[in-house]
Amino acid sequence: MCGIIGVASKKEQAIPMILQGLKTLEYRGYDSSGIAYFKENQIVITKTKGRISDLEQQINFKETSSLGIGHTRWATHGEANQVNAHPHQVGKITIVHNGIIENYQELKAKLQENGYSFLSSTDTEVACALLDFYYEKTNSVTQAIQAFIHEAKGSYAIGLLCQEEPDTLYAIKKDSPLIVAASNDTNFIASDIPAVLEYTSSYYVLEDEEYAILTKDHITFYDKGGKVLTKEEKHYDASLESPNKGSYPHYMIKEMMEQPDTIWKTMQPFLENGLASLAKLPDLTKYDRIDIVACGTAWHAGLVGKYFLEEYAAIPVDVCLASEYRYKRLFLSPKVLVIFISQSGETADTLAALKRVKEEACHTLGIINVKDSSIARVVDQVIYTKAGCEIAVASTKAFTAQVAILLLLALQAAYQKNLMEEKQVLAVIEEFKHLKDHLTPLLAKRSEYQKIAKELYKQEDIFYLGRGLDYDLMMEGALKLKEISYIPSVCYAAGELKHGTISLVQEETRVIASCTNPLLDPKTMSNLKETKARGAKIYLITNNVELTKDKDIDSVFLLDQTSEFLVPFLVIIPLQFLAYKIALLRQCDIDKPRNLAKAVTVE
Ligand code: M6R
């Protein structure tokens, strides 16, 4: 989590540049922030609890600097307060850090024995002390960095200043993302490229256990043994970026409204020339089984993918939480494909699971949104979703883009296996091409969502129910609600309710459900009636007009009748809107919900 940035510039503009970068990185963590810069050969540190706007109030903008580092924090070790905020300074070394030093207790004890004492509860202060310890021993920052890489366990992206080198910025990286970027007059380090996109789109990727030395004129890369490395300069395609909210009050609603375009951009390369384009997708029919590995919303997209791959292409699929998969016993072989889904491409658990799978003899496929991200670089093959930059912590357009790719994979595999005829596949492709016509009116029903949100926003809990594909989508709807509105939302497979959870249903309990499968709808409706009999109020999302006539249903969102391949895109829109509108009525910080961060780069 946490965002870091560093600047070595020919101009005296480092302070505003760092603050601007931190604002872009704020989605990575926002409980405290800080900045350190050289001013007349002395390091000045300002840090505070709260947002970048709080930090700005404490900065002396009359001061100028050409070199410094900044940090926006998502607390791992120690509460969010000024002392624990970064940068940390020990002796002659000052650092900002993203990641977790796993052996920090052991290192702390060793450093204490050597006379170091600590002010904060952070692992970062220990990392800083370790670097200072070796610097004092060797009088060389590079030797201190090499010793640090050798001794520190865990993950780190570090920006480092040394009191005795006012013209130099150091960067160190392992298992946390860090890029190095260059413009005409300034060199940067940053957690991601959008943080510096205002100044440059050209960048280099630091790999694990590498470090870099930056001055205003030069950048040099090294491996952990100090050997100079030559790196490929990359160029970021900013055409997909939408770095501001435009006329929208929040990134989340803007990103929701972009979905007709982002789904289409994602699908288009595989649809424009009918079956020939679809054949550009990887051949899944070679595999006996697929494991899909992801976290959070990406995991829900995986569940939707499983439904279509199994139902239409008859390929058995397991969908696994990356945090479990990375430690469980795996049953892999060359006949198993492992698909990793991630918006950020940096999620620590997903990346760790991938690294584990890479040691086995099986193929890996990534469905990733952020180009050249860590996961995208490690998988054997990557398909990029074209959702563009997703800033709101609550994922919306990345989810539908991930689902889009999975649906296309299922469609292609079903066709290859003769489980769908050519004309059926072409009919689905035709429907995808007109998806926008179904989505646009749904996105426009804002007053309907607002009306229901008003009925729900004071609830202490809300139930989400469904069966099959509807259950998968309800899980995503429930996650959206709890994430941004803080209302506990329980999602259950409708048939499972009476095995325990129905005990929670009482007078005025609110139940949101979807019914989009004619075979399962009567079953789900029976379960809904069981809740109604106990006093629940029911809000139904369905494409089945008959169900709208049922007097037990209190409110209905009626969707267009389409092929099942379009259903996930339609069901999810009311769910995203309800979460958004309810959070708005509860006056929550929608784009930056409490305790969360966009990219979860720690375990
Ligand atoms: O970047 P990733 O897709 O790997 O992120 C996975 C989850 O952390 C993410 O989907 C999270 O659940 C979202 N905040 C949900 O809206």
Side-chain angles (χ1 to χ4, degrees):
M1 335 276 263
C2 304
I4 71 174
I5 181 158
V7 166
S9 182
K10 289 179 185 158
K11 300 191 292 188
E12 289 284 307
Q13 289 294 316
I15 298 171
M17 281 173 156
I18 292 169
L19 289 169
Q20 179 54 39
L22 287 181
K23 282 182 194 158
T24 314
L25 290 168
E26 205 173 13
Y27 71 89
R28 301 178 76 94
Y30 34 82
D31 56 45
S32 52
S33 58
I35 179 169
Y37 54 86
F38 274 100
K39 170 79 191 152
E40 288 157 9
N41 294 342
Q42 290 304 315
I43 294 176
V44 178
I45 297 179
T46 308
K47 55 187 189 173
T48 184
K49 183 178 173 178
R51 303 284 166 96
I52 310 301
S53 50
D54 300 303
L55 178 68
E56 276 181 320
Q57 287 174 20
Q58 300 192 22
I59 301 280
N60 179 358
F61 283 99
K62 289 195 187 118
E63 288 192 348
T64 59
S65 172
S66 61
L67 194 137
I69 49 181
H71 187 269
T72 178
R73 181 172 186 244
W74 186 88
T76 57
H77 295 67
E79 65 175 289
N81 60 27
Q82 204 254 357
V83 177
N84 289 335
H86 302 209
H88 286 277
Q89 186 171 58
V90 179
K92 299 201 174 76
I93 303 295
T94 301
I95 68 168
V96 288
H97 165 223
N98 172 27
I100 292 182
I101 306 299
E102 286 166 3
N103 58 338
Y104 84 106
Q105 295 281 25
E106 186 190 308
L107 294 172
K108 191 172 187 176
K110 165 184 153 166
L111 290 160
Q112 279 166 333
E113 279 169 22
N114 282 279
Y116 284 87
S117 57
F118 295 90
L119 300 171
S120 77
S121 336
T122 64
D123 54 335
T124 302
E125 193 184 11
V126 176
C128 192
L130 187 65
L131 285 155
D132 183 68
F133 173 71
Y134 284 115
Y135 178 68
E136 288 300 334
K137 267 190 155 182
T138 61
N139 203 26
S140 153
V141 178
T142 56
Q143 285 187 43
I145 290 174
Q146 288 167 25
F148 174 86
I149 294 174
H150 184 70
E151 203 164 337
K153 295 197 172 76
S155 56
Y156 44 83
I158 289 176
L160 181 154
L161 306 180
C162 174
Q163 176 58 53
E164 291 175 340
E165 299 185 25
D167 299 324
T168 312
L169 165 65
Y170 292 87
I172 325 168
K173 190 248 179 219
K174 181 176 168 264
D175 289 337
S176 282
L178 195 60
I179 57 107
V180 175
S183 73
N184 289 340
D185 51 30
T186 308
N187 293 324
F188 302 89
I189 62 167
S191 297
D192 63 28
I193 183 80
V196 296
L197 215 47
E198 197 174 320
Y199 313 102
T200 179
S201 59
S202 118
Y203 69 102
Y204 306 86
V205 176
L206 264 192
E207 299 291 352
D208 286 348
E209 300 193 325
E210 291 180 354
Y211 64 95
I213 303 180
L214 292 82
T215 64
K216 61 183 172 21
D217 302 304
H218 291 107
I219 303 173
T220 318
F221 299 98
Y222 301 88
D223 73 6
K224 63 180 173 182
K227 189 175 133 223
V228 174
L229 302 169
T230 307
K231 289 217 169 249
E232 180 199 347
E233 184 177 0
K234 296 179 177 265
H235 292 276
Y236 194 76
D237 175 11
S239 62
L240 287 165
E241 298 308 320
S242 37
N244 57 54
K245 291 195 280 250
S247 56
Y248 291 102
H250 301 99
Y251 280 107
M252 183 178 174
I253 179 79
K254 172 176 179 273
E255 290 162 4
M256 284 158 54
M257 297 304 287
E258 284 171 354
Q259 289 177 106
D261 288 335
T262 50
I263 296 169
W264 177 242
K265 273 185 188 154
T266 300
M267 286 185 154
Q268 188 180 21
F270 305 107
L271 294 185
E272 52 199 357
N273 291 319
L275 295 172
S277 303
L278 206 58
K280 290 193 283 186
L281 286 162
D283 176 6
L284 303 196
T285 61
K286 308 191 275 206
Y287 304 102
D288 291 344
R289 191 170 70 76
I290 295 174
D291 282 355
I292 297 180
V293 182
C295 301
T297 285
W299 181 71
H300 294 151
L303 293 174
V304 174
K306 170 186 167 78
Y307 176 83
F308 283 91
L309 285 162
E310 289 186 340
E311 288 298 313
Y312 289 86
I315 304 175
V317 179
D318 277 336
V319 188
C320 312
L321 292 165
S323 53
E324 298 291 324
Y325 195 81
R326 63 183 289 189
Y327 295 117
K328 82 187 244 319
R329 182 164 181 179
L330 301 179
F331 300 91
L332 299 175
S333 78
K335 297 297 282 178
V336 179
L337 171 70
V338 190
I339 301 180
F340 294 85
I341 308 176
S342 176
Q343 187 285 127
S344 62
E346 302 294 349
T347 301
D349 283 320
T350 313
L351 182 59
L354 167 61
K355 287 183 176 171
R356 193 177 161 207
V357 172
K358 287 288 282 185
E359 287 164 16
E360 308 268 343
C362 67
H363 196 73
T364 56
L365 170 68
I367 299 176
I368 310 293
N369 196 42
V370 176
K371 189 149 178 281
D372 283 331
S373 53
S374 299
I375 298 173
R377 296 199 312 275
V378 178
V379 283
D380 297 318
Q381 190 173 6
V382 62
I383 303 176
Y384 283 112
T385 48
K386 302 277 172 55
C389 198
E390 191 181 63
I391 304 278
V393 166
S395 182
T396 53
K397 62 176 180 169
F399 171 76
T400 44
Q402 290 157 353
V403 167
I405 293 295
L406 290 159
L407 294 181
L408 294 180
L409 287 167
L411 194 62
Q412 165 68 359
Y415 175 57
Q416 282 176 279
K417 289 175 84 172
N418 288 327
L419 295 170
M420 282 177 82
E421 289 172 19
E422 181 172 329
K423 68 169 191 282
Q424 290 176 298
V425 176
L426 289 173
V428 174
I429 292 178
E430 211 42 43
E431 281 203 80
F432 281 149
K433 288 184 177 170
H434 294 100
L435 177 62
K436 201 172 189 164
D437 300 341
H438 301 286
L439 288 181
T440 307
L442 257 186
L443 289 163
K445 291 187 176 176
R446 298 214 197 168
S447 53
E448 257 184 66
Y449 306 127
Q450 176 72 5
K451 180 175 159 282
I452 305 295
K454 279 188 175 162
E455 292 180 27
L456 295 175
Y457 81 103
K458 288 188 178 152
Q459 286 298 117
E460 283 177 8
D461 52 24
I462 294 179
F463 279 72
Y464 285 73
L465 299 180
R467 282 173 184 254
L469 176 62
D470 288 308
Y471 174 41
D472 303 334
L473 295 165
M474 285 295 131
M475 274 198 259
E476 172 58 10
L479 176 66
K480 285 292 89 83
L481 185 76
K482 61 175 83 100
E483 196 174 14
I484 59 167
S485 77
Y486 319 138
I487 298 179
S489 42
V490 180
C491 180
Y492 259 82
E496 188 61 15
L497 201 61
K498 55 177 158 305
H499 298 288
T501 312
I502 200 164
S503 64
L504 299 175
V505 174
Q506 53 188 329
E507 206 61 42
E508 294 303 307
T509 293
R510 301 295 204 266
V511 175
I512 302 175
S514 73
C515 284
T516 62
N517 180 332
L519 289 177
L520 299 177
D521 292 350
K523 312 277 179 196
T524 307
M525 287 300 284
S526 304
N527 300 131
L528 292 177
K529 282 168 187 290
E530 287 157 9
T531 67
K532 185 78 190 178
R534 287 155 182 87
K537 216 168 164 191
I538 298 167
Y539 300 81
L540 184 68
I541 301 169
T542 185
N543 50 13
N544 183 340
V545 183
E546 284 309 304
L547 300 186
T548 66
K549 297 173 188 158
D550 193 305
K551 62 180 181 3
D552 284 335
I553 303 303
D554 295 280
S555 198
V556 178
F557 294 105
L558 184 61
L559 308 176
D560 292 347
Q561 274 281 356
T562 60
S563 130
E564 194 172 31
F565 277 84
L566 272 66
V567 162
F569 303 121
L570 305 193
V571 171
I572 204 63
I573 299 294
L575 296 174
Q576 292 173 345
F577 260 104
L578 282 182
Y580 176 76
K581 293 280 184 188
I582 289 171
L584 204 58
L585 288 166
R586 288 167 71 92
Q587 299 184 331
C588 296
D589 191 345
I590 290 181
D591 287 337
K592 297 192 183 87
R594 72 179 178 214
N595 304 340
L596 292 172
K598 182 75 182 159
V600 184
T601 55
V602 294
E603 185 174 6

